[in-house]
Amino acid sequence: MAKTSKSKALVPVTPAKSGLSKKVSDAAEWFDYRLPLISAAKHTAYEYPTPRNLNYWWNFGSLALICLIVQIVTGITLAMHYTAHTHLAFDSVEHIMRDVNYGWLIRYSHAVGASMFFIVVFIHMFRGLYYGSYKSPREVLWWLGVVILILMMATAFMGYVLPWGQMSFWGATVITNLFSAFPLIGESIVTWLWGGFSVDNPTLNRFFALHYLLPFVIVGVVALHVVALHQHGSNNPLGIDAKGPQDNIPFHPYYTVKDFLGFSVFFIVFAFFVFFAPNYLGHPDNYIEANPMVTPAHIVPEWYFLPFYAILRAVPDKLLGVLAMFGSLLILFVLPWLDFSKVRAATFRPLFKIAFWVFAVNCLILGYAGGQSADWGVIIAFVAERAVDAEGNALPGTAWLLTIPAGGLAAWLPDISVARITAFYYFFHFLVLLPLISRREVPLPLPVSIAESVTAKETSSHSHA
Amino acid sequence: MATTKTPAPAPEVPSHEEGETRRDFIVLTASGLAAVGAASIAWPLVDQMNPAADVLALSSTEVDLGPIAEGQSITVLWRGKPVFVRHRTAQEIEEANAVEMSALRDPQADKDRVKEGKAQWLVMLGVCTHLGCVPLGNRAGEFDGWFCPCHGSHYDTSGRIRKGPAPTNLVVPEYAFLSDTRIKIG
């Protein structure tokens, strides 16, 4: 597309109108004069100028919208067959799976769809982190995105409770109990959330009501997110502002086509999970009906909560753990001021680029740690296991490890685990590294304009050919 | 509204800096009353989520202690929560009494967690005080009491927190001995 001759007009030419199409366009004009829907759509699609250099990482915004639509459509159809009662919920889900026409397809799409939604949104957010999309003048756009993430987490959590399996019940118990950490009012809040003295029928009922409501709240915030986006337009891989029409192309047809290609690839992945591994991302214990007398030996949340769960568990104090977990999300709101470098894209920020990738890997490790048992990855145990052979003799080169005196260093070593190091680093990245890098880093020279950068690339690729 | 748009301010209208007007009073009282009205409508909408009368009514359970042999424990359901009823051995009671108060995160003597003269009966909520999982019993964990598998809290033979993230001891609910072999919880 980029290699078409530049003399060609970039805006599609409206063809001359014949009889019927004239009537249609007249009717459309009549309507639009009274309710400007068509001109609003035109504004967002045809006339909305978009940087011409967006790469495939920019597909994930529209992918997230598609995910939301899939969740709402499959969710409403599931609600037609689901019963929100502790005696009936588990069986009604099995009824959906076995009896309802295509019930298995709709439910698996909804369950896999939740995972797909989160992976898309996480990539979307990491794209924003890499290219500095949260910086002026897009701070409010970023805030709205964080609000959407928090709403999504609440929605997904309550949705996971609805099948009333063991993980549903104990997940609900653990997460609602987080609020009991707050002094004085904590217990009352938890009783209020439950509508009783444990997770029970009133809890299930209200979770269903809220799980149905919140997606529409998300739709509202998404609308604001799009308005905020259109206020200053998309950021782009160079992170510099578009300076004129030569830097932009209309959203339609150029990016609609690019988005459609993205949808196709995305739905291949989606369909793979729905048809070949529908339960891979879930937990088998949730096919056991909820039992308030027995906690499963190993409670884990859904994978998309694991990094946050790891942060919760990494702190030995209950209240501080809860605050750290909520803080790990809330810190995103102040990110635009923690990273105050004027250069947006990591491409031109050598130190930030390294910090970004370390942070990304750190998040993955946190996620892995969150999926392991509470005592996983304790460094001293790991070292101790490897420092001696089967007979208990020190292996060569590790003798010094056994000479660490008791007390002192060895006293706090047992408390150091991979989860704790990575949880600490999560906050260290935001609170220390980013401000420090913003102050010290010398960015690379920025290109003069998007158009110049794009054409320079084209010329060089032509000369190679 | 319209008066604010007139280009030259009318001299007879006192400005806000000069003191309160009748209009300020009306605006303040009206918005104050509206706020009270909004709050009084909001409260029922918030309070409906608290436990309903039927949930509150299910607040006591009777347990027959007869069949529980020494060293055994049973779990009963009270208000939707598991309650551990353990018939402790003399050794367990001794272990519980031997603990120094300074070693406890939530200091409480063993005798304060049981009824007088009934030290063999330990009755407590089977709900970890960390995040509400059901701890594993039968002399589990590092202190021969209970161990919570979710986040690794260890409780001793008196159900007191000894290690792990839980902040307090397992809760002893209100209960009373109806006879030597029968208790009423709640």
Side-chain angles (χ1 to χ4, degrees):
Chain A
M1 164 181 39
K3 287 184 183 166
T4 48
S5 120
K6 288 211 186 55
S7 58
K8 238 183 181 173
L10 289 170
V11 181
V13 182
T14 324
K17 286 184 176 105
S18 65
L20 180 67
S21 76
K22 170 100 173 57
K23 278 197 189 109
V24 172
S25 76
D26 279 355
E29 221 167 87
W30 179 91
F31 183 82
D32 197 58
Y33 184 66
R34 280 145 187 91
L35 179 68
L37 281 185
I38 299 165
S39 44
K42 239 187 197 165
H43 170 73
T44 50
Y46 285 90
E47 291 156 20
Y48 175 54
T50 316
R52 58 195 280 180
N53 60 336
L54 299 189
N55 58 30
Y56 278 106
W57 298 111
W58 262 262
N59 278 51
F60 286 83
S62 63
L63 278 176
L65 182 62
I66 282 288
C67 287
L68 179 59
I69 293 167
V70 167
Q71 288 310 90
I72 288 178
V73 171
T74 53
I76 289 172
T77 43
L78 284 173
M80 295 177 185
H81 306 279
Y82 170 78
T83 314
H85 190 282
T86 49
H87 294 168
L88 302 167
F90 189 81
D91 289 344
S92 76
V93 171
E94 286 312 299
H95 158 74
I96 289 169
M97 294 302 291
R98 298 166 193 217
D99 304 337
V100 174
N101 299 332
Y102 293 105
W104 59 272
L105 177 66
I106 299 171
R107 176 166 176 261
Y108 277 155
S109 300
H110 197 69
V112 169
S115 284
M116 293 296 128
F117 199 174
F118 273 100
I119 189 78
V120 163
V121 162
F122 285 150
I123 295 174
H124 186 59
M125 293 182 78
F126 272 102
R127 190 271 288 150
L129 289 176
Y130 187 85
Y131 292 109
S133 301
Y134 47 84
K135 292 186 184 185
S136 176
R138 297 185 182 83
E139 298 96 327
V140 175
L141 174 63
W142 172 256
W143 283 352
L144 290 165
V146 178
V147 170
I148 293 171
L149 175 69
I150 293 172
L151 285 171
M152 276 173 64
M153 295 175 91
T155 311
F157 158 64
M158 289 192 274
Y160 195 61
V161 176
L162 303 184
W164 208 241
Q166 273 289 65
M167 281 295 163
S168 301
F169 183 90
W170 292 102
T173 300
V174 167
I175 301 300
T176 48
N177 260 309
L178 292 179
F179 293 93
S180 73
F182 296 108
L184 302 175
I185 49 164
E187 292 296 332
S188 319
I189 292 178
V190 174
T191 306
W192 178 74
L193 287 173
W194 287 341
F197 303 103
S198 61
V199 173
D200 211 329
N201 199 48
T203 326
L204 178 61
N205 253 299
R206 66 191 55 181
F207 277 18
F208 181 52
L210 294 173
H211 183 70
Y212 207 120
L213 165 73
L214 285 186
F216 297 98
V217 177
I218 295 178
V219 168
V221 185
V222 166
L224 293 177
H225 194 65
V226 171
V227 171
L229 171 70
H230 285 211
Q231 181 73 6
H232 291 285
S234 299
N235 184 28
N236 64 80
L238 295 174
I240 55 176
D241 291 324
K243 292 190 178 69
Q246 74 280 5
D247 290 342
N248 290 320
I249 45 177
F251 190 85
H252 181 75
Y254 298 106
Y255 285 114
T256 39
V257 158
K258 191 165 178 169
D259 279 348
F260 284 152
L261 176 64
F263 294 166
S264 310
V265 175
F266 170 69
F267 278 114
I268 290 172
V269 178
F270 196 126
F272 169 79
F273 277 104
V274 169
F275 293 109
F276 297 102
N279 290 307
Y280 179 75
L281 298 164
H283 198 290
D285 273 27
N286 221 28
Y287 284 102
I288 304 169
E289 193 167 359
N291 179 358
M293 303 284 266
V294 181
T295 307
H298 184 40
I299 293 196
V300 274
E302 291 282 84
W303 69 266
Y304 36 81
F305 291 137
L306 289 176
F308 306 100
Y309 191 62
I311 290 174
L312 166 76
R313 290 197 311 188
V315 183
D317 181 86
K318 181 173 168 182
L319 178 60
L320 292 180
V322 171
L323 290 178
M325 191 188 70
F326 287 130
S328 67
L329 282 168
L330 297 179
I331 202 169
L332 296 173
F333 282 110
V334 290
L335 171 61
W337 294 273
L338 295 173
D339 173 14
F340 47 81
S341 164
K342 295 274 178 266
V343 178
R344 293 195 190 103
T347 321
F348 305 105
R349 301 183 60 191
L351 290 178
F352 175 84
K353 196 188 217 168
I354 297 167
F356 169 86
W357 286 112
V358 174
F359 176 74
V361 171
N362 188 70
C363 285
L364 292 177
I365 299 174
L366 258 182
Y368 184 80
Q372 305 306 308
S373 61
D375 53 0
W376 175 83
V378 177
I379 304 296
I380 191 81
F382 181 86
V383 172
E385 263 170 38
R386 277 151 189 81
V388 290
D389 62 17
E391 281 84 43
N393 303 315
L395 293 175
T398 59
W400 66 273
L401 282 168
L402 303 175
T403 64
I404 296 171
L409 188 64
W412 54 264
L413 267 179
D415 292 332
I416 300 181
S417 64
V418 173
R420 285 196 175 149
I421 295 169
T422 47
F424 173 80
Y425 187 82
Y426 182 95
F427 290 100
F428 180 78
H429 173 81
F430 284 118
L431 294 173
V432 179
L433 274 188
L434 286 186
L436 210 63
I437 289 174
S438 304
R439 189 179 298 274
R440 292 296 167 92
E441 184 177 57
V442 180
L444 305 176
L446 291 174
V448 180
S449 76
I450 296 172
E452 191 170 289
S453 162
V454 170
T455 44
K457 219 184 265 175
E458 260 172 32
T459 327
S460 70
S461 68
H462 278 305
S463 62
H464 280 298
Chain B
M1 269 296 133
T3 52
T4 58
K5 281 182 185 163
T6 45
E12 67 269 23
V13 177
S15 75
H16 286 280
E17 283 87 349
E18 283 173 30
E20 291 104 42
T21 62
R22 266 155 53 93
R23 178 163 296 175
D24 288 335
F25 176 74
I26 292 167
V27 167
L28 275 175
T29 42
S31 20
L33 275 174
V36 171
S40 55
I41 293 168
W43 176 244
L45 293 176
V46 170
D47 193 40
Q48 53 83 21
M49 279 174 70
N50 273 318
D54 63 328
V55 174
L56 291 171
L58 294 172
S59 54
S60 69
T61 304
E62 287 187 20
V63 185
D64 181 13
L65 303 178
I68 311 169
E70 196 174 283
Q72 260 190 349
S73 55
I74 62 161
T75 307
V76 294
L77 207 61
W78 173 63
R79 300 207 301 195
K81 285 176 178 169
V83 175
F84 296 150
V85 180
R86 183 164 180 85
H87 192 167
R88 295 191 295 178
T89 61
Q91 189 206 345
E92 285 171 54
I93 300 168
E94 204 176 300
E95 268 179 49
N97 281 325
V99 180
E100 288 288 324
M101 280 300 123
S102 58
L104 298 174
R105 181 178 306 167
D106 180 13
Q108 199 179 17
D110 185 59
K111 67 174 168 55
D112 297 332
R113 296 176 55 76
V114 293
K115 300 288 176 195
E116 216 180 322
K118 310 271 188 197
Q120 72 273 36
W121 295 107
L122 181 63
V123 179
M124 56 191 187
L125 292 184
V127 176
C128 180
T129 56
H130 182 226
L131 295 174
C133 296
V134 179
L136 303 172
N138 220 1
R139 297 178 74 76
E142 289 176 22
F143 298 89
D144 296 337
W146 285 263
F147 170 69
C148 183
C150 292
H151 308 95
S153 291
H154 299 256
Y155 297 91
D156 66 13
T157 57
S158 186
R160 293 172 298 197
I161 181 65
R162 300 298 292 277
K163 189 183 172 190
T168 57
N169 302 334
L170 290 175
V171 174
V172 176
E174 236 176 77
Y175 70 99
F177 277 87
L178 300 175
S179 69
D180 271 354
T181 58
R182 201 164 181 80
I183 56 166
K184 185 181 175 183
I185 305 169

